[in-house]
Amino acid sequence: MNKRTFACVVCGLALAGSLAAGCVPEQSQVASAPSPARIYITSVHQVYDNIDTQMDALKGSAAAGDFAAVSAALDKVDAQVAALEGLEVPAGLEELQNKYVTATKTLETAVRQYADYRLNKSNAVTIDSIRESYAAGIQLLQEADNLATSL
């Protein structure tokens, strides 16, 4: 069997296994559907995973001085912030949503300041102000996470 055929077989088996596992829910899945709160938190995590991906791209682009790629990455971060703001929030989690949105926007401000500083060598922004924005965003994010774990 050549390498290509072997790879196709492995992929086919993996696909079949995942489809079978997904089609036959475990007994606990049948008994209880995910709660709206769990769905919301999962959605928040997905948004943050997407932002993290864009941040990796942004860091590399900024280091390379690639203005167009940084701008594209920032646009994608903006889209994720909008996605976070647009999540359906279950009753009782409005305060948590507000904390996540505020934290994310604060961190986004720090990223924009960094990009401006790194690419434009702007004197309007200092490393200290970037650090302050970042620290404030991290603090707000920790508060949101603490609130989420206490619910």
Side-chain angles (χ1 to χ4, degrees):
M1 181 182 300
N2 66 31
K3 289 181 183 180
R4 183 175 178 189
T5 304
F6 180 75
C8 288
V9 170
V10 171
C11 288
L13 289 174
L15 179 61
S18 66
L19 288 174
C23 292
V24 182
E26 294 179 10
Q27 197 65 339
S28 63
Q29 290 175 329
V30 173
S32 64
S35 70
R38 182 173 293 276
I39 292 168
Y40 166 75
I41 293 296
T42 300
S43 297
V44 169
H45 284 256
Q46 183 60 53
V47 167
Y48 275 100
D49 285 345
N50 294 344
I51 289 173
D52 190 47
T53 299
Q54 294 311 313
M55 294 306 300
D56 288 342
L58 189 140
K59 285 187 281 188
S61 299
D66 186 344
F67 294 99
V70 168
S71 179
L74 286 171
D75 288 346
K76 290 177 182 176
V77 170
D78 284 343
Q80 291 304 309
V81 172
L84 180 63
E85 289 179 303
L87 290 178
E88 185 174 327
V89 182
L93 297 182
E94 295 86 358
E95 180 184 359
L96 180 61
Q97 171 71 355
N98 290 336
K99 286 186 178 288
Y100 276 126
V101 168
T102 302
T104 305
K105 285 183 173 184
T106 303
L107 287 168
E108 181 186 23
T109 297
V111 169
R112 286 192 174 281
Q113 289 173 336
Y114 170 75
D116 185 47
Y117 177 82
R118 179 85 175 165
L119 296 176
N120 299 324
K121 306 295 184 205
S122 172
N123 291 331
V125 177
T126 66
I127 289 293
D128 289 338
S129 67
I130 296 168
R131 285 183 183 148
E132 287 171 13
S133 292
Y134 179 78
I138 292 297
Q139 177 64 34
L140 290 167
L141 189 57
Q142 287 173 339
E143 290 173 14
D145 285 345
N146 290 340
L147 179 59
T149 58
S150 72
L151 297 175

